[in-house]
Amino acid sequence: MDRPASSQARLERFLVCGLGSVGQHCVAALKEFGVSVSAIDKATPKNWEIPNLPRLLDDQKLGCKPRRSTTAFVV
């Protein structure tokens, strides 16, 4: 069912899974819209491509290892 644009909910919180090159650029792009961005990754990135990227994150969890196979959905 389509809703008129005026009644659509605004997304204000995002989770970026993986802080490699693409993930870092996603964080930077999302922050330009003034939204809350959290990130998870298996380890701290060895190379931060975006200066001060950790300061852009509202929350981050590093060292996360899935217990079993999971599926992620991107909207």
Side-chain angles (χ1 to χ4, degrees):
M1 173 188 285
D2 292 325
R3 295 187 214 168
S6 61
S7 68
Q8 290 182 348
R10 181 169 183 239
L11 299 176
E12 297 180 4
R13 297 182 69 187
F14 293 86
L15 173 64
V16 175
C17 301
L19 287 172
S21 180
V22 173
Q24 290 182 43
H25 286 275
C26 287
V27 170
L30 287 165
K31 291 307 285 186
E32 289 181 17
F33 290 95
V35 297
S36 174
V37 181
S38 298
I40 60 172
D41 203 327
K42 291 181 183 179
T44 302
K46 294 178 182 178
N47 179 26
W48 292 107
E49 294 183 20
I50 308 294
N52 299 315
L53 185 102
R55 292 183 184 173
L56 295 176
L57 293 168
D58 296 290
D59 187 29
Q60 62 180 315
K61 301 292 182 202
L62 302 174
C64 300
K65 295 181 182 177
R67 293 184 182 173
R68 60 178 178 247
S69 177
T70 58
T71 302
F73 297 95
V74 177
V75 179

